[in-house]
Every structure is written in C-alpha cells, then in structure tokens.
Amino acid sequence: MSAEVGQFALILALLLALVQSAAPLVGAARGDGVLMALGRQAALLQAIFVTLAFGCLVYAYLTCDFSVALVAQHSHTTQPAAYRFAASWGSHEGSMLLWVLILAIYGAGVAFFGGTLRATLQARVLGVQGILGVAFLAFLIFTSNPFLRLSPAPIEGTELNPLLQDPGLVMHPPLLYLGYVGFSV
C-alpha cells in the first residue's frame, strides 16, 4: 500500500509543481498578489507530498517490502536498518527522489522564510523552483518510477551495492545534494 500512496503523492506533487511554475511568474508579471501567494502555497504543499512519497519509499525499505522492485533490487533482510534506510537513495530512482525532496524543501524554505524578499523576487524564485520541480518530477514519474511493483514478490531481495555500505557513503549523497540543489535558489 505504501507504494501506491507514494506514487499518488508524486503525481499530486507534479500537479502542484505545475501550479508553482506558472502562478507566481504570471503573478509577478501582473503584480497580482493572489497568484504570487498561490505559488507559495503550492511550494509548501509540494514539499509535503514529496516528503510523503520519500517517506513511503523509506518505509518500504525498512519493512523489507520486496514487492517494490527497487527494494527487491537494493535491500536484504540481513542488512542493518541504517543501510536499508540509505538504500532508499542507493539507486538511480531513489537518488532522483532524494534530489526532488531536497528541491521541494528548498522551495518550501523560500516560500516560508522568504517573506523579507521583495514579493516579485520571491515569486520568480518560486516559479523557477516550480519549473525545475516539474522537470524532475516528470522524469521521475515517467521514466524512473521508484514505486514499481513486482508480482510475484520475491521472498528475499538482493543486497545494496557493497561499495555503498560504508558510513561515509551513507551521508555523502544527502550532503552533496544539499549543495547542488541549493544552487537552484
């Protein structure tokens, strides 16, 4: 069930990213405060839904739900929980979802804490963040779906790449993405 909830959350996040990419830019061009505020709300909601999707993927890994193809390919019941958690971004699909999560959090940060910015500047930043969100979410949903199901589900999964089973490499992708994605703001 978590895979379906995660997939639905990604679709809703994509729809919100579409709103976020258009409404604040149009609002900034017209000086329309309502449209600029809509962009802020869309950014906050998008972050909530992407966080929900990422949480669903992490839950699938931690509970060893091998009916999710990604979990079956990159996790094993004998792995420590920390490595099963890190396995959520140990693949292309999971890594892209982590990227989108950090992008959405940055967008929500601009929406929530950017009140000191000029309203049109904040709206334009949120619009660009929305465009990036649309691109990455569409890529994730249509070409790199992390929530594909296997039927029948295997009894046991394969293991996370042994090179990724290191405490230093557990933290490397999130910290790296914080910097890379931060440039979008």
Side-chain angles (χ1 to χ4, degrees):
M1 180 70 171
S2 69
E4 289 76 21
V5 171
Q7 180 69 27
F8 187 64
L10 283 180
I11 293 167
L12 289 176
L14 175 61
L15 295 174
L16 287 162
L18 285 166
V19 171
Q20 181 187 343
S21 65
L25 292 175
V26 171
R30 292 182 182 171
D32 186 344
V34 173
L35 286 176
M36 289 189 276
L38 181 61
R40 288 191 298 274
Q41 295 303 317
L44 293 170
L45 287 171
Q46 178 191 355
I48 290 170
F49 284 113
V50 172
T51 302
L52 175 62
F54 188 78
C56 287
L57 184 63
V58 168
Y59 178 78
Y61 271 102
L62 291 177
T63 60
C64 298
D65 182 0
F66 298 124
S67 69
V68 178
L70 203 58
V71 176
Q73 294 167 359
H74 298 283
S75 185
H76 194 274
T77 55
T78 60
Q79 283 181 305
Y83 292 134
R84 286 198 313 262
F85 175 73
S88 64
W89 59 76
S91 63
H92 166 74
E93 296 85 352
S95 181
M96 289 300 298
L97 184 54
L98 178 64
W99 185 283
V100 170
L101 173 67
I102 292 172
L103 181 69
I105 289 171
Y106 273 121
V110 170
F112 193 75
F113 298 110
T116 59
L117 295 172
R118 191 174 68 248
T120 54
L121 175 62
Q122 183 187 33
R124 288 185 176 110
V125 170
L126 287 174
V128 170
Q129 290 290 105
I131 292 168
L132 292 171
V134 167
F136 280 105
L137 283 163
F139 179 76
L140 189 64
I141 291 169
F142 297 117
T143 67
S144 299
N145 189 347
F147 296 109
L148 294 177
R149 288 282 192 179
L150 291 176
S151 182
I155 295 170
E156 187 61 75
T158 58
E159 201 170 5
L160 177 65
N161 183 337
L163 293 174
L164 297 177
Q165 294 184 39
D166 180 90
L169 291 174
V170 167
M171 292 307 301
H172 180 259
L175 293 176
L176 186 70
Y177 289 179
L178 283 172
Y180 279 158
V181 179
F183 281 121
S184 67
V185 175

